[in-house]
Amino acid sequence: MTKLFHWYGSLGLATKQFIYLFTVTLLLVMILAWNNLRESESLLRNQVVRDAEMLVSRTNQYIDANLDNVENMLLLLSTQSDILEDGKEDIALQTLRKFADYNNSITKSLYIIRADGKVYASSQVYYEIIGNPYLSELYKLALQNYGGINVSEPYNSPISGDTLAYVLPITDANKELKGVAVAEVNLELLSMQITPMNYQSYVLFTKEGNVINRLQFNDKLLPYKPSSYPRTLKDDFQEQLVSLKVGVSSIQADSSKSLVAVRSTTNRLGWSLAAFIEEDYFYKDLRKLDNNYRTAVVIWVAILLISAYLLSRSFTKPIRRFVEKMDRLHDLQIITKLTVSRRDEIGRLTQSYNAMLERIQNLLQKTKAAEEQKKEFELKMLRSQIAPHFLYNTLSCISSLAKQQKIDEVRETIRSLVKLLSFSFDKQSEFVSLAEELESLRMYMYIQQVRYGDQYTYKLDLDESLLQYRILKLTLQPLVENALFHGISPHNGGLITIKGKMEKGMIRLYVRDDGIGMSRDKINKLLYGTIAQERSRYRFTGIGLRNVHDRIRIHHGEHYGLRIGSRLGVGTVIRIDIPLLLDKDENLGIWD
């Protein structure tokens, strides 16, 4: 193989192009011929399979209709919880016999299992003599989906024979469990009813691959276990049933026989119906068509041999020139466009190449501008983190508290101010945990409540599992500050609620206030207008909503950031979308 590659590498460009085009085109022709052959086979298949699919679909609908009757019967039976009361045994037995007689076309036996373990049966005499060991398991199955209908896997009942059971809890008006209703389906009668609807071999099976219908003795198509009664499919064939795709597929019956399987969609119980046809049935009329394709392929090979040679020669020269021009490009910052002198595919390729270089250059410029803007925002944040008016007013408040000899308030206010300043001046990372961000917010709100009283209140409602994730520092505080002084303060007090949850693979935080609200024009101005630092004597920092929005989008992309909704006179909600960031190796705690 190595020698072959060396030999190919030593050939001229025209020869390489000829060999490549001839080989690829020949493969394409052979693939096309093969596909056409397969399509012809498919057309022949469809003549039989289409009818089989229609019959399978109709049969599946017929089965669903019969099973609907069982479900409706159980639902009606579950509404008569009063018959389970003591002293009404005769009424319960009479009711079961009535329902069983009315639905005998699909139901074999009916049971009611009271919560105390007492059992009523539609054939009470047979039950008392023979019993049914599966009832305890069916009672547990009914309680697994409390209030809904469950269906068991097929089993052999002493009274009903080969069957499966529908189970439904029975409750009274107070939703108290009174018992469980059980209906055993007459699978033998169901098989007899659907057999005339299918002229192929068929199997009705559950999602685990368990066969529901009774298999026919005169069926020579499917593989059965020898000397089995009732007839049972071989284990390896039964395992293949579950993996059958919906529609038409192939399945191996044994080492010498392949079958075409037509599988229906599953019904709401997870059952599927599959009909089987011999694979050899479709190949009887394809031999003549196969010979015609062989003759056509020989002719096509001769034509391709000549065409590939001529095509390679026509492409060699312009491609070599194009490659030589591309090799001259070394610096993407300085782009010299290639001259377009052709109108064919080579010319269009040259135009696309020039457009690609231009897009690359624009992308590099945008990336460079974004990095510069990111650094600019970081510098603005560091330069305007502490507003002097806020610090002056807070210290004045501490002085006033000291004159009033409120020592505890003075101590707690100074402690909050010191930690708030520590949090702001920490330059180790621009990211902090959500828990740290909330702690800084708590200290900020404590200072504001000391200054202005209880007219400003706030509430947290966050999932504790979110506290470990990382967010940009000073994300929540500017939003709460905006709600405080532009929403609640003009309203003479109110409540700020901060919620958080994980949704759609990201963290979503909500800052809600019940203040005066704002118009859509003001929202657009805040998020998409010109950047202006909002400085006032009330603010702790000079970071506004636009600054927070742009910082998040610069760090995480355009899918993240702020969304604002507001109604005048009702309030404002700000949603913050941020990705899931977790850094377990970094020391997150700064509140020692």
Side-chain angles (χ1 to χ4, degrees), residues 357-372:
L357 292 180
E358 186 175 352
R359 289 194 296 269
I360 292 175
Q361 188 179 41
N362 293 336
L363 181 61
L364 291 175
Q365 293 175 353
K366 290 181 180 179
T367 303
K368 183 177 180 181
E371 289 294 329
E372 292 175 355

Side-chain angles (χ1 to χ4, degrees), residues 201-213 215 222-223 232-246 249-253 259 261-264 266 270-276:
S201 298
Y202 73 97
V203 174
L204 180 64
F205 58 96
T206 66
K207 59 183 177 182
E208 286 80 14
N210 296 321
V211 177
I212 296 175
N213 62 297
L215 301 174
L222 301 180
T232 307
L233 293 173
K234 290 184 177 180
D235 294 337
D236 56 346
F237 185 81
Q238 192 164 339
E239 290 175 359
Q240 296 180 69
L241 293 179
V242 180
S243 59
L244 285 176
K245 66 179 182 179
V246 175
S249 58
S250 297
I251 187 171
Q252 198 70 27
L259 303 178
V262 181
R263 178 178 176 177
S264 69
T266 58
W271 297 358
S272 295
L273 182 67
F276 302 95

